[in-house]
């Protein structure tokens, strides 16, 4: 059926990350180079820990793909872990001094176990390899429909200079993507990128960690994805859920986001114009000179690019440790150190890009239905033709 759903299973140091993506039509070209490229990008970025030198992520397809195309069945994907040692108790010591800000204490209380190991193994962002792989596969379908997703790091950390000041639109995003590729923190502004790298370098010296802000822009969405009919089908809500569902994300904004609360309506809402000469496949002639709404009004795409921003807190595992309590002795002790990233903001931008893609793909499947790629494309074309004719028969 056309409902797109996705799940993951697997522990950080288990045999691998298993993902099931259900609801893609038959006939999506599975671009394995692109998908494995996204997995590689997720492993990268300045400030990451030693784990990424051990792993070399590649997706294996255990179901739902034949001769390079989806079959219409659930896609089962396995990303093996090289650092697999969960049952080797000498190499996976108990964690009894929970890290403030990590899942350790809450999980130990939830599952009634003083060793935080099992909680942290599943809470770990190793799992995001699965969501990245599935999102990249969903993007193979989106690209065939002319929908492109672009994610990057906007900035972060304590230095105000580590914040990119640039606009993103349909005309410049490919150039920005090249600049992102040239940045070790996936921040397409060379000066801000340097400042951010310096912040992470300093945090390493200080045995501290760095968070940041990521942004995802989606180009080419037809209008009408999502719905205002039920809260749970609003695309803005689904996007927020997906991005907040990434480990360590603590805020999500759409378009102008929290800034809306500081401005009057006349300075927020994007005036609507019409210019028949600017009618193209997606825009249908409705012109918006600004996009404070981030491409979403009433929980539905309005034809403008979708813009989602996420805030990631700094990593909770600090080499200096933080005040904590030993769960066995109940005595105060510093939190335990586990091999860790200093900053994972670059990797997180890749995860965000791909979970946003999953939600856009989910909305595409809900709107256009169909069992095969041919049907999805034909349905979308029919809808766009009807939308272009909107109002033309009015008397
Ligand atoms: C790509 C990525 C990599 C991460 N790497 C680490 C890490 O190395 N060490 C760590 O303590 N937390 C890391 N985190 C964050 C934790 O997974 C997260 O803080 C933890 O699961 C608790 O969830 P919460 O922060 O949402 O409360 C990472 C998050 C992401 C998105």
């Amino acid at each position: 059926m056309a409902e797109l759903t996705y799940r993951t299973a697997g522990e950080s140091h288990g045999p691998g990350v298993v993902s099931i993506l259900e609801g893609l039509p038959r006939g999506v070209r599975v671009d394995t180079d692109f998908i494995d490229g996204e997995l590689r990008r997720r492993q990268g970025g300045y400030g990451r820990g030693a784990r990424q030198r051990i792993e070399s992520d590649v997706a294996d397809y255990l179901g739902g793909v034949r001769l390079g195309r989806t079959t219409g069945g659930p896609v089962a994907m396995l990303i093996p872990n090289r650092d697999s040692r969960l049952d080797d108790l000498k190499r996976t010591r108990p964690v009894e001094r929970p890290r403030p800000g990590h899942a350790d204490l809450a999980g130990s209380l939830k599952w009634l176990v003083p060793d935080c190991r099992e909680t942290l193994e599943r809470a770990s962002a190793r799992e995001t390899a699965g969501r990245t792989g599935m999102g990249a596969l969903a993007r193979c379908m989106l690209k065939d429909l002319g929908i492109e997703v672009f994610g990057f790091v906007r900035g972060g950390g304590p230095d105000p200079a580590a914040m990119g000041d640039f606009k993103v639109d349909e005309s410049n995003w490919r150039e920005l993507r090249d600049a992102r590729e040239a940045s070790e923190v996936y921040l397409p502004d060379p000066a801000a990128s340097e400042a951010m790298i310096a912040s992470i370098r300093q945090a390493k010296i200080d045995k501290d960690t760095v968070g940041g802000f990521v942004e995802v822009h989606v180009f080419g969405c037809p209008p009408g994805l999502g719905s205002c009919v039920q809260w749970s089908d609003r695309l803005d809500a689904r996007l927020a859920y997906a991005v907040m569902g990434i480990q360590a994300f603590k805020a999500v904004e759409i378009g102008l986001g929290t800034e809306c609360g500081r401005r009057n309506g006349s300075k927020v809402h994007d005036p609507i114009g019409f210019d028949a000469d600017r009618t193209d496949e997606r825009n249908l002639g409705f012109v918006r000179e600004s996009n404070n709404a981030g491409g979403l009004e009433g929980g539905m795409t309005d034809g403008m690019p979708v813009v989602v921003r996420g805030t990631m807190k700094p990593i909770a595992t600090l080499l200096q440790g933080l005040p904590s309590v030993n769960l066995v002795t109940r005595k105060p002790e510093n939190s335990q150190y586990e091999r860790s990233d200093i900053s994972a903001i670059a990797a997180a931008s890749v995860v965000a890009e791909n979970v946003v893609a999953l939600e856009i793909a989910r909305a595409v499947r809900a709107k256009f239905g169909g069992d095969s790629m041919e049907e999805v494309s034909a349905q979308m074309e029919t809808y766009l033709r009807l939308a272009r004719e909107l109002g033309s028969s009015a008397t």
Side-chain angles (χ1 to χ4, degrees), residues 7-303:
R7 309 287 284 175
T8 63
E11 278 69 41
S12 184
H13 299 96
V17 181
V18 177
S19 309
I20 302 238
L21 174 60
E22 200 159 4
L24 282 182
R26 181 204 54 76
V28 175
R29 258 191 306 266
V30 181
D31 184 344
T32 53
D33 287 346
F34 171 69
I35 296 166
D36 292 340
E38 286 300 279
L39 294 178
R40 241 187 337 273
R41 280 203 320 116
R42 194 205 67 91
Q43 288 195 264
Y46 189 83
R48 298 218 69 193
R51 173 82 188 260
Q52 304 313 322
R53 289 198 288 278
I54 301 171
E55 303 298 341
S56 176
D57 290 346
V58 173
D60 286 342
Y61 301 89
L62 308 182
V65 176
R66 179 165 184 259
L67 304 174
R69 288 190 184 256
T70 54
T71 62
V75 176
M77 196 185 269
L78 170 67
I79 301 166
N81 290 334
R82 287 192 176 172
D83 192 14
S84 169
R85 53 180 159 90
L86 199 55
D87 291 337
D88 178 347
L89 296 181
K90 286 201 194 83
R91 293 170 64 220
T92 46
R93 58 199 175 118
V95 177
E96 287 157 352
R97 291 173 286 134
R99 294 160 294 176
H102 214 293
D104 304 350
L105 176 63
S108 279
L109 295 173
K110 178 178 171 65
W111 284 290
L112 302 176
V113 48
D115 179 2
C116 309
R117 170 63 58 190
E118 279 169 27
T119 299
L120 72 91
E121 283 286 333
R122 183 62 193 152
S124 157
R126 174 78 192 138
E127 178 270 346
T128 60
R131 278 183 282 164
T132 300
M134 290 187 288
L137 174 53
R139 284 165 77 183
C140 296
M141 176 186 79
L142 295 178
K143 277 188 204 179
D144 266 5
L145 299 171
I147 302 171
E148 296 275 3
V149 189
F150 171 51
F152 57 88
V153 173
R154 174 62 74 174
D159 180 358
M163 208 57 196
D165 184 18
F166 52 89
K167 286 212 164 69
V168 186
D169 59 36
E170 263 148 329
S171 68
N172 72 352
W173 76 267
R174 288 186 175 81
E175 264 168 56
L176 288 169
R177 186 177 55 187
D178 292 343
R180 178 193 76 185
E181 298 307 298
S183 160
E184 279 188 275
V185 282
Y186 305 175
L187 198 169
D189 172 329
S193 170
E194 276 314 307
M196 182 122 197
I197 290 168
S199 293
I200 298 170
R201 195 180 300 124
Q202 187 58 47
K204 185 174 185 183
I205 294 165
D206 299 341
K207 300 183 175 167
D208 215 328
T209 58
V210 178
F213 307 93
V214 306
E215 229 168 271
V216 182
H217 295 240
V218 189
F219 299 100
C221 281
L225 299 181
S227 178
C228 58
V229 168
Q230 283 294 348
W231 60 269
S232 51
D233 291 327
R234 290 181 62 108
L235 186 53
D236 47 4
R238 296 281 324 178
L239 290 167
Y241 195 171
V243 174
M244 190 68 104
I246 305 171
Q247 291 84 338
F249 273 64
K250 296 302 141 200
V252 184
E253 296 173 81
I254 304 286
L256 199 57
T258 55
E259 174 62 21
C260 287
R262 281 184 282 272
R263 297 191 188 179
N264 284 354
S266 58
K267 302 286 182 293
V268 169
H269 303 301
D270 311 304
I272 303 172
F274 187 79
D275 180 351
D277 292 341
R278 282 168 68 176
T279 305
D280 67 22
E281 244 185 77
R282 303 291 149 96
N283 288 330
L284 312 170
F286 293 97
V287 179
R288 318 296 289 268
E289 297 301 347
S290 57
N291 186 23
N292 291 334
L296 288 156
E297 292 172 299
M300 298 167 283
T301 49
D302 61 10

Side-chain angles (χ1 to χ4, degrees), residues 141-142 145 147 225 360-369 376:
M141 176 186 79
L142 295 178
L145 299 171
I147 302 171
L225 299 181
I360 299 288
R362 188 179 178 280
V364 164
R365 297 296 289 130
K367 180 153 178 63
F368 300 117
V376 180

